Amino acid sequence: MIVLFCTIAVIVVFFGDVIHLDPQKFPQEYRVAFGIVLVIYAAIRFFRIVRDNKIE
């Protein structure tokens, strides 16, 4: 899951023009912020899953 979210974040941040994101509706600053949010969310989910597996 962390790989999936990180991949989506990289695609949105660095390859937004390739996937035809409209720069007026989704500017570069928002792309970077969205990518950071995805990476942080993936890290939180990853560590929660790891922690839950250690407890059991």
Side-chain angles (χ1 to χ4, degrees):
M1 183 181 308
I2 192 168
V3 174
L4 176 69
F5 283 124
C6 289
T7 304
I8 293 171
V10 167
I11 289 171
V12 168
V13 171
F14 296 112
F15 301 109
D17 299 330
V18 175
I19 57 175
H20 305 294
L21 291 176
D22 186 12
Q24 294 288 16
K25 294 180 181 176
F26 201 42
Q28 183 66 28
E29 295 85 16
Y30 293 147
R31 289 185 207 175
V32 171
F34 183 68
I36 291 170
V37 167
L38 280 178
V39 169
I40 291 172
Y41 177 72
I44 290 170
R45 295 277 306 191
F46 175 75
F47 288 117
R48 286 185 69 197
I49 290 169
V50 168
R51 188 185 69 208
D52 288 344
N53 287 338
K54 284 184 180 179
I55 293 173
E56 293 177 2

